[in-house]
Amino acid sequence: MPLSVPTRPRARPRVWALVALMVLPPVAVVAAIPWLKQQPDGLVFLLTGIAAALTVLASTALAVLHDRNIDEWQRSNARFSSQWGWTLGAGLVALLLALPPVRDLIVSVAAVWGGVPSPDPALVIMTFTFGFMAAVVAQLLCTIVLSLGWNAWMSRDARDSS
């Protein structure tokens, strides 16, 4: 009996739209860096914030669509990998910051993108580190709030289920 290869359903247009919404805003920001350098900080933060929000929302929507088509084994895999991937990724960044070549790379990228020939390395690394720490703390706080919210929602009485 020959083995049949399962056919994949054709991607729906909304999936491609979400992928485009995930990819295009960050690409547009990077492409617009020369123009953004000439703009006021408030506008730069607004535009990059919008790009980041669109990317996050589109990736979340894509994850929800994907989750509808997977089985429990695949959901367990996603849960495990996302839980430990974030943790290991954050730990890896912290370890990499201890390596001088990585710090030098961060400073050189900041010099190129910032248009400053020789920025203060300590200031660049400190800013990068504080940004990294802010992201990790924000993830921690969101994890705590979502855990408490989920616990409260799931612990409510059956009569309160409305």
Side-chain angles (χ1 to χ4, degrees), residues 105-126:
L105 177 64
I106 293 168
V107 172
S108 66
V109 169
V112 170
W113 280 25
V116 178
S118 56
D120 180 13
L123 181 61
V124 170
I125 296 301
M126 187 65 68

Side-chain angles (χ1 to χ4, degrees), residues 153-162:
W153 179 260
M154 297 307 281
S155 298
R156 70 189 190 291
D157 289 336
R159 66 180 182 278
D160 294 340
S161 62
S162 56

Side-chain angles (χ1 to χ4, degrees), residues 98-162:
L99 301 175
V102 173
R103 291 192 308 263
D104 293 343
L105 177 64
I106 293 168
V107 172
S108 66
V109 169
V112 170
W113 280 25
V116 178
S118 56
D120 180 13
L123 181 61
V124 170
I125 296 301
M126 187 65 68
T127 303
F128 183 91
T129 303
F130 281 147
F132 166 69
M133 289 179 355
V136 171
V137 168
Q139 289 172 351
L140 169 70
L141 294 175
C142 289
T143 300
I144 290 169
V145 168
L146 289 173
S147 176
L148 292 172
W150 185 89
N151 191 21
W153 179 260
M154 297 307 281
S155 298
R156 70 189 190 291
D157 289 336
R159 66 180 182 278
D160 294 340
S161 62
S162 56

